[in-house]
Amino acid sequence: MQVSCKIREKEFVLKNPVMSAPGGFGNVVEYKDLIDLQALGAVIPNSLMKNCGGPNGINKFLTTPYGYLSSFGPNNMSLEMFIRQEIPNLPENVPPVIVDIKARSMEEMGESVAMAAETEQIAAIEINLNCPYASSEPLYWKDWEKLDGLMRIVRKAAGDKPVIAKAPGGIYPMEEMARVLEGAGTDMFVPFNCVDGCAVNIWKRTLQSGGYFGPGIKPLALSRCREACSVFHIPVIGAGGITCAEDVIEYIMVGAFAVQIGSANLTRPDFMIRLVKDLETLTDKLGIDSFDEIRGCASMVNMQLFD
């Protein structure tokens, strides 16, 4: 079940390829008495900003057919508070802790990354590319020079800590993204975040918009993962609509190093623990001794109709 890759001349090792996605696993600590956190590959709390945010006044998660609409806004715990209050309360031998950071500016992102890099218990730093966050300024990824500048600031502030880039919401040019991120020294990439969506309450005559994620977007997310694996030269982490062990295998077969679980964690708190057990059973049934032997095997070269 173990997966590993080389990052900055060091082995980055996970007990298994299953980790939480930011936004679907709270601040991790609240799960320690409910599930065995040590059984997971890695844990990622909700996205963190330099300062605490306030409530956004609408549903953070709106249930829709086949998924959820998320509308977090700046409603978050500060990175400093997470480091000071939450990390000390995690159990011993907790799997690698990865923090997802969002920021309103390049300067704020650099300061937050530096703070995370100085924290020994944080194994890697994920950058939310929906940056600047909650701002009227255009997102940096829509200007490749600005994105390059952001990620170079991040790379310098992170020191030796691995840097993961989390894709912005929506669709973006994959080859251009690969060129900029790899050129700036990014170590891993998550190619899918969410897509824009909305829902209407016909009784109240109201509308809520947000990022749509869940089982309904899995074919799209899987395709984006396959595309990323074909152009990036760094490890890719699959995400989007995973609800069972078969989904995990699919992501690895298109080339993913590991996977992030988001919406499924909202269905039951022990989902990922059950998923890891199901994955162990499924790999035995499929005769898989190592994920390395199947990673990327389902390429377009051998595409064929299902039996």
Side-chain angles (χ1 to χ4, degrees):
M1 293 286 285
Q2 179 176 293
V3 294
S4 65
C5 63
K6 183 163 287 188
I7 294 177
R8 312 210 153 264
E9 303 305 318
K10 297 180 181 178
E11 287 295 320
F12 187 77
V13 181
L14 302 180
K15 181 183 298 184
N16 58 65
V18 176
M19 66 178 77
S20 55
F25 205 54
N27 290 319
V28 180
V29 173
E30 56 260 49
Y31 285 83
K32 70 177 184 178
D33 295 326
L34 297 173
I35 64 173
D36 179 14
L37 292 174
Q38 297 177 26
L40 303 177
V43 291
I44 306 179
N46 288 343
S47 298
L48 303 165
M49 297 180 74
K50 182 180 178 183
N51 301 312
C52 290
N56 57 11
I58 58 177
N59 292 329
K60 286 190 291 184
F61 290 114
L62 178 67
T63 303
T64 68
Y66 312 112
Y68 300 87
L69 285 176
S70 66
S71 183
F72 273 84
N75 182 29
N76 61 275
M77 174 184 287
S78 73
L79 175 62
E80 185 275 334
M81 185 177 293
F82 177 77
I83 292 171
R84 175 169 48 85
Q85 293 186 5
E86 305 299 323
I87 285 182
N89 289 319
L90 289 172
E92 293 184 7
N93 301 318
V94 68
V97 176
I98 301 171
V99 292
D100 177 276
I101 298 176
K102 54 190 180 184
R104 292 183 174 88
S105 67
M106 292 191 189
E107 181 182 13
E108 183 180 301
M109 182 66 82
E111 292 171 353
S112 295
V113 170
M115 185 188 305
E118 293 173 355
T119 305
E120 182 179 355
Q121 297 91 334
I122 293 176
I125 302 166
E126 182 175 275
I127 305 303
N128 189 322
L129 293 186
N130 285 316
C131 184
Y133 193 79
S135 169
S136 59
E137 185 180 347
L139 296 173
Y140 296 145
W141 74 265
K142 296 185 177 181
D143 182 325
W144 299 116
E145 289 187 8
K146 286 187 177 180
L147 178 61
D148 179 74
L150 171 71
M151 296 310 296
R152 289 184 186 277
I153 289 172
V154 166
R155 180 68 272 163
K156 183 177 180 180
D160 292 333
K161 290 285 175 77
V163 170
I164 305 168
K166 176 88 168 187
I171 304 300
Y172 53 87
M174 191 68 73
E175 290 189 3
E176 215 36 39
M177 185 69 76
R179 179 187 65 81
V180 173
L181 294 183
E182 291 184 338
T186 305
D187 298 305
M188 289 185 273
F189 182 56
V190 185
F192 189 82
N193 192 327
C194 62
V195 293
D196 292 339
C198 69
V200 174
N201 185 321
I202 62 173
W203 303 104
K204 295 182 178 180
R205 302 184 182 184
T206 57
L207 176 146
Q208 178 166 332
S209 62
Y212 176 63
F213 66 109
I217 52 83
K218 185 204 149 195
L220 170 61
L222 186 66
S223 177
R224 296 297 280 170
C225 183
R226 183 197 62 80
E227 184 182 359
C229 291
S230 71
V231 299
F232 275 83
H233 300 92
I234 57 178
V236 170
I237 300 173
I242 296 172
T243 60
C244 60
E246 287 80 1
D247 290 342
V248 177
I249 295 294
E250 287 186 38
Y251 272 97
I252 294 176
M253 283 187 171
V254 300
F257 161 70
V259 296
Q260 291 185 354
I261 310 300
S263 63
N265 287 324
L266 303 179
T267 63
R268 54 184 305 157
D270 63 345
F271 175 81
M272 285 193 294
I273 299 298
R274 290 170 172 262
L275 180 64
V276 170
K277 292 178 180 177
D278 290 346
L279 190 58
E280 291 176 344
T281 301
L282 182 58
T283 53
D284 287 342
K285 288 182 178 179
L286 293 173
I288 298 171
D289 295 322
S290 168
F291 290 120
D292 290 340
E293 69 186 56
I294 63 167
R295 185 170 290 110
C297 70
S299 65
M300 292 297 289
V301 175
N302 61 14
M303 184 175 66
Q304 59 187 4
L305 294 176
F306 289 166
D307 292 333

